[in-house]
């Protein structure tokens, strides 16, 4: 149980393109999902918390207009990297958790984004 | 504030060696503690967890005990295999909301035959 699916797993595109990444909770409903960015050989950096039916909460230093988050349903959150540039190339990972104290976060398999 | 400090790597062990990866934490409330594993090119997988003091989480031969007196949650395995090569992350969340997760910097483990 508690499977999170992330799509696509790999994207290569030209500079200036907008890229959408989907995160789905397959067998549970998630009112809250999380988006992380991971640089090579580093830990995860929380970018934003995605809340179903309301605006996402962004971490300090993360550009809201650059990284658009939409959480339109209890099983789907999307991250759109707008007008992507080479410095946006990274590994993006989403997660979701079941409600309740002590519940772990369940992660998608990540999306490798490469901007040429 | 709340944070996790994790043993720096990389760690290289021979197959069947004993593994310990240290993790200590600071928490303002009541933390739940987790170990995640990340294989190359993949997302994080939950390895084990403990939600209260003295709990022992275990999975796939890995163990970690939530020790409140030393604020630690060290990961151990008695006999590592090549397939255990991965990056291991210690993490905590604070009850009751549990939304904010704090991750350690990760420890890379390489097991050689």
């Amino acid at each position: 149980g508690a499977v999170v699916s992330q799509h696509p797993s790999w994207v290569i595109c030209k500079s200036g393109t907008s890229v959408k990444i989907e995160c789905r909770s397959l067998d549970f409903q998630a009112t809250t999902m999380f988006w992380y960015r991971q640089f090579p050989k580093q830990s995860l950096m929380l970018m934003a918390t995605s809340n179903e039916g309301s605006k996402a909460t962004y971490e300090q230093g993360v550009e809201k207009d650059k990284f658009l988050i939409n959480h339109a349903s209890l099983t789907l959150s999307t991250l759109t990297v707008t007008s992507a540039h080479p410095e946006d190339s990274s590994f993006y990972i989403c997660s979701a958790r079941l409600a309740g104290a002590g519940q772990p976060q369940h992660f998608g398999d990540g999306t490798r984004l490469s901007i040429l | 504030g709340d944070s996790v400090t994790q043993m720096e790597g990389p760690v290289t062990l021979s197959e069947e060696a004993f593994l310990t990866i240290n993790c200590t934490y600071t928490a303002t409330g009541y933390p739940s503690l987790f170990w995640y594993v990340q294989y190359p090119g993949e997302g994080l997988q939950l390895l084990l967890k403990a939600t209260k003091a003295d709990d022992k989480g275990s999975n796939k031969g890995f163990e970690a005990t939530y020790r409140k007196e030393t604020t630690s949650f060290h990961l151990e395995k008695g006999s590592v295999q090549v397939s255990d090569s991965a990056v291991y992350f210690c993490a905590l969340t604070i009850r009751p909301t549990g939304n904010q997760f704090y991750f350690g910097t990760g420890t890379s483990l390489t097991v050689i035959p």
Side-chain angles (χ1 to χ4, degrees):
Chain A
V3 177
V4 175
S5 174
Q6 191 171 339
H7 179 81
S9 56
W10 197 296
V11 180
I12 302 174
C13 58
K14 294 180 179 179
S15 186
T17 306
S18 291
V19 178
K20 180 186 284 188
I21 303 170
E22 293 186 348
C23 181
R24 295 181 185 273
S25 56
L26 296 186
D27 50 0
F28 67 102
Q29 294 182 333
T31 55
T32 305
M33 292 184 175
F34 306 87
W35 288 97
Y36 295 85
R37 183 172 180 176
Q38 186 180 32
F39 293 100
K41 299 184 188 286
Q42 294 188 25
S43 188
L44 285 74
M45 181 191 78
L46 179 65
M47 299 175 64
T49 302
S50 171
N51 303 297
E52 187 269 335
S54 64
K55 292 182 179 180
T57 303
Y58 290 81
E59 296 300 301
Q60 192 172 11
V62 178
E63 298 177 58
K64 301 178 183 181
D65 296 332
K66 177 70 167 178
F67 300 99
L68 299 179
I69 292 173
N70 183 278
H71 194 156
S73 78
L74 288 172
T75 59
L76 174 64
S77 175
T78 61
L79 169 68
T80 301
V81 184
T82 60
S83 186
H85 292 284
E87 59 267 28
D88 299 323
S89 298
S90 193
F91 193 56
Y92 293 87
I93 310 176
C94 73
S95 72
R97 61 183 292 271
L98 292 158
Q103 289 291 337
Q105 289 196 9
H106 298 278
F107 289 83
D109 284 338
T111 298
R112 174 76 57 196
L113 177 62
S114 297
I115 308 298
L116 304 177
Chain B
D2 303 312
S3 67
V4 173
T5 301
Q6 192 174 335
M7 169 180 161
E8 288 193 22
V11 174
T12 302
L13 294 173
S14 296
E15 206 165 21
E16 299 184 1
F18 184 85
L19 168 71
T20 299
I21 300 178
N22 290 340
C23 173
T24 57
Y25 67 89
T26 59
T28 53
Y30 300 97
S32 296
L33 301 168
F34 308 87
W35 276 100
Y36 285 85
V37 57
Q38 184 179 32
Y39 298 101
E42 298 183 12
L44 274 68
Q45 300 176 24
L46 177 66
L47 182 59
L48 52 86
K49 71 173 185 177
T51 57
K52 63 182 187 296
D54 299 325
D55 270 1
K56 176 186 282 188
S58 61
N59 185 25
K60 300 181 181 178
F62 290 90
E63 291 183 342
T65 301
Y66 183 155
R67 299 209 184 276
K68 188 177 179 181
E69 63 275 14
T70 54
T71 61
S72 66
F73 193 56
H74 304 321
L75 182 68
E76 297 181 336
K77 186 174 185 181
S79 175
V80 294
Q81 305 299 314
V82 172
S83 56
D84 294 326
S85 299
V87 180
Y88 293 83
F89 292 92
C90 185
L92 75 81
T93 187
I94 302 296
R95 289 172 284 160
T97 60
N99 270 351
Q100 182 69 50
F101 264 61
Y102 301 88
F103 287 91
T105 52
T107 301
S108 174
L109 170 66
T110 300
V111 180
I112 54 177

